[in-house]
Each structure stands twice: as structure tokens, then as C-alpha cells.
């Protein structure tokens, strides 16, 4: 399917690896010019080179830095003269017990996983509406629908973002001008983050990563972890010209893990 977004410009945050990079790859294949960001410059440059090889016709710009810092967000926005597509992403907060978390831990999680996407959306959304095209995708987590106890910082911060988006996406000033805002909720995807989580679980249980990985895979009805490129392809469709009637949704990609009807 031709997605109808060739020549558009996209910002993809936290995109040197994993799900962010997969979204950037899928957009690159559609001929979308990119501004990608991550903290580590070396891996970011390697990702940019890969994208340029994948799609020689597009322009790929990089901004190294923590996206939860205002100065970095400003650089990202400046690098992208016209934001047609915005993919919000950042690392997830650490697991733990809420009894151990201080106010600073909460502020960090809220900054990265709620306030940063809101600030970027604020900077882009009215221009998108004026131009009659905008696609915003927030990478959140399956834990928004089915909270995971030890991920309380993530459950809380991402739910805050989700509630805010539910109202914003339905403004007729946006939806009526072909600006869509949706959240993509990953279940277990085969990325570095998942491997770190499995490795920590293996250490805690005194077992091997392979054994924990096998147990986790069997809990997924699809009997496997998602592949990042599957996630990227879905993201690219939501950003496509065909997806203008899809807004304000929380879209789960979890191989059937969420056990509810709705
Ligand atoms: P990943 O493989 O660890 O990749 C994370 C990417 O984000 C890297 O490029 C990293 O590069 C960048 N990054 C992290 N923090 C950043 C920051 N503050 N500013 C800029 N860039 C930053 O992780 P992933 O699996 O793709 O996960 C992406 C998001 O989905 C996370 O929020 C995660 O919690 C969520 N999620 C993932 C899964 C899963 O199974 N994979 C499931 C549910 C939710 P640098 O470290 O160099 O900055």
C-alpha cells in the first residue's frame, strides 16, 4: 500500500534503537525525511547512517541529547522546519516499590513520559492544523491498560499522558483539520530494553535469561515476542494519508496478551 507521505518531515524521539528506530525505519521506507534523537551520539549516528542507506532519497538529521530537557527539544524542533509527523518516545522509568520512590523519582518519570510529549505536541499541533495535516503517535505501554505492579512510575506517568491525549485529540480544531493523535501500546517487543528486563528477572530468580525468556514467550498468546519492525509498520500506517479518521485511540500491539474484551 502506498502510504501517501513521501516528502513529509517527521521527528522521531528516542530513535537510535528499539521501537523508536523501527518507527524511523518504516517512515524512511515511505520517503519521509527524519529528525531522530537519542542521548548517545555514537549509536544515534550509526542509526542515521543505516536510515540513509535504507532510503537514499531522504534527509536524516540528528540531535543528540535527553529529550526530557527543554534545550534538546528546542534543537529537535529547530532541526525540523515543518513537523508533519511527531513520534513521541523516551526510555521507560525504572521498576521498583513506590515506598522507595521520592518526589524526584516521580518528577523524572512525569517529565520523560508525560510532560515531554505534551511540550512537543504543544509546539507542533497548531501548525499541523493550519496546514491541514498532522500525525502524532505517542509510544506508551501495554501497562497503561493492564498495569504492572513494579512499573508504578510508568503506569502513573503514562496514564496521565493518556488522559490528556484523550481530551486533546477530540478538539475539532485538530481532528477537523486532519490532525490525529494516537497512542501505541507495546506489549513485549524484542528490544534491548526487553533483554535487560529479562536479564534482571533471571538474576532475581537465580535462573538463566533463556529460561525466563521462554516462560515470558509462553505467556503471550502469539507464543513469541513482537518484532520491532512490526511495530514500525503499524506506526507508519497510523502516520499515513489513509489514517485521518483514526484519532484519540489507544492501540495495543501485544500478541493477544491483554485479556479483556475491550
Ligand atoms: P530500547 O531498546 O532500550 O531503546 C530506547 C531508545 O530510546 C534508545 O535509542 C535510547 O537511546 C533512547 N532514549 C532513552 N531515553 C531517552 C531520553 N531520555 N532521551 C532521548 N532518547 C532516549 O527501548 P524500547 O524497547 O524501544 O522501548 C521504547 C519505549 O517503549 C520505552 O518507553 C519502553 O518503556 C516502552 N515499552 C517497551 C516495551 C518492550 O517490550 N520493548 C514494552 C512496553 C513499553 P539512548 O539510551 O542513547 O538515549
Amino acid at each position: 500500500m502506498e502510504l501517501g507521505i513521501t516528502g513529509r518531515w517527521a521527528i522521531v524521539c528516542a530513535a537510535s534503537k528499539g521501537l523508536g528506530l523501527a518507527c524511523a525505519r518504516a517512515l524512511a521506507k515511505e520517503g519521509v525525511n527524519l529528525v531522530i534523537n537519542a542521548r548517545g551520539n555514537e549509536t544515534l549516528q550509526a542509526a542515521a547512517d543505516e536510515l540513509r542507506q535504507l532510503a537514499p532519497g531522504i534527509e536524516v538529521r540528528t540531535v543528540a541529547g535527553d529529550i526530557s530537557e527543554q534545550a534538546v527539544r528546542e534543537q529537535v524542533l529547530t532541526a525540523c522546519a515543518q513537523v508533519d509527523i511527531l513520534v513521541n518516545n523516551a526510555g521507560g522509568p525504572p521498576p521498583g516499590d513506590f515506598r522507595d520512590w521520592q518526589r524526584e523519582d516521580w518528577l523524572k518519570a512525569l517529565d520523560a513520559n508525560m510532560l515531554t510529549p505534551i511540550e512537543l505536541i504543544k509546539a507542533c499541533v497548531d501548525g499541523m492544523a493550519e496546514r491541514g495535516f498532522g500525525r502524532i503517535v505517542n509510544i506508551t505501554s501495554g501497562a497503561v491498560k493492564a498495569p504492572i505492579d513494579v512499573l508504578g512510575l510508568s503506569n502513573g506517568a503514562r496514564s496521565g499522558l493518556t488522559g490528556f491525549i484523550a481530551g486533546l485529540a477530540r478538539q475539532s480544531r485538530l481532528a477537523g483539520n486532519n490532525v490525529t493523535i494516537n497512542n501505541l501500546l507495546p506489549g513485549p517487543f524484542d528490544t534491548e530494553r526487553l533483554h535487560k528486563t529479562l536479564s534482571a528477572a533471571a538474576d532475581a530468580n537465580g535462573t538463566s535469561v533463556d529460561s525466563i525468556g521462554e516462560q515470558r514467550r509462553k505467556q503471550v498468546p502469539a507464543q513469541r515476542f513482537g518484532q520491532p519492525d512490526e511495530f514500525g509498520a503499524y506506526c507508519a500506517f497510523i502516520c499515513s494519508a489513509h489514517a485521518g479518521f483514526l484519532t484519540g485511540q489507544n492501540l495495543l500491539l501485544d500478541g493477544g496478551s491483554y485479556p479483556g474484551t475491550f
Side-chain angles (χ1 to χ4, degrees):
M1 186 193 279
E2 165 64 53
L3 296 189
I5 46 176
T6 304
R8 297 265 183 209
W9 272 92
I11 290 174
V12 187
C13 305
S16 67
K17 293 180 211 162
L19 303 180
L21 176 57
C23 294
R25 264 193 214 114
L27 291 169
K29 283 186 198 158
E30 294 303 318
V32 174
N33 301 300
L34 294 163
V35 176
I36 59 168
N37 147 268
R39 291 165 304 181
N41 191 41
E42 204 176 313
T43 317
L44 182 66
Q45 296 311 326
D49 287 346
E50 182 204 318
L51 294 166
R52 289 182 190 113
Q53 277 176 20
L54 187 68
I58 66 165
E59 197 168 332
V60 182
R61 298 178 184 167
T62 57
V63 175
D66 186 332
I67 197 64
S68 64
E69 291 174 13
Q70 191 188 338
V72 174
R73 287 194 296 276
E74 280 168 8
Q75 284 176 47
V76 165
L77 290 162
T78 305
C80 190
Q82 173 173 313
V83 190
D84 301 308
I85 295 168
L86 169 64
V87 180
N88 280 313
N89 186 30
D97 184 327
F98 92 103
R99 292 165 189 82
D100 301 325
W101 295 330
Q102 308 303 318
R103 182 175 164 75
E104 279 311 306
D105 300 307
W106 277 106
L107 292 180
K108 212 169 161 194
L110 289 168
D111 245 344
N113 298 107
M114 179 182 172
L115 301 177
T116 289
I118 292 173
E119 285 293 324
L120 285 168
I121 290 168
K122 183 174 151 192
C124 299
V125 82
D126 292 331
M128 288 173 167
E130 274 164 31
R131 295 189 296 273
F133 180 91
R135 300 285 182 264
I136 298 172
V137 174
N138 303 304
I139 300 180
T140 63
S141 172
V144 170
K145 274 193 82 123
I148 300 166
D149 176 24
V150 293
L151 295 180
L153 289 169
S154 169
N155 299 337
R158 296 188 201 272
S159 294
L161 175 67
T162 304
F164 170 75
I165 295 298
L168 182 70
R170 288 168 175 86
Q171 284 188 356
S172 53
R173 177 176 166 187
L174 302 180
N177 283 302
N178 194 22
V179 177
T180 69
I181 315 180
N182 292 289
N183 304 317
L184 265 184
L185 284 53
F189 272 83
D190 198 354
T191 65
E192 198 173 297
R193 176 175 166 93
L194 182 78
H195 285 273
K196 279 188 190 151
T197 313
L198 293 177
S199 168
D203 287 348
N205 290 294
T207 181
S208 70
V209 177
D210 282 352
S211 147
I212 287 277
E214 191 54 23
Q215 280 173 31
R216 287 286 304 278
R217 258 191 291 276
K218 282 188 181 146
Q219 288 164 5
V220 182
Q223 301 288 289
R224 66 179 179 87
F225 297 136
Q227 289 305 312
D229 286 346
E230 295 177 286
F231 191 92
Y234 195 33
C235 175
F237 175 74
I238 296 167
C239 296
S240 77
H242 311 297
F245 209 50
L246 175 70
T247 196
Q249 300 304 304
N250 289 289
L251 304 160
L252 259 179
L253 281 96
D254 68 352
S257 300
Y258 177 69
T261 308
F262 302 109

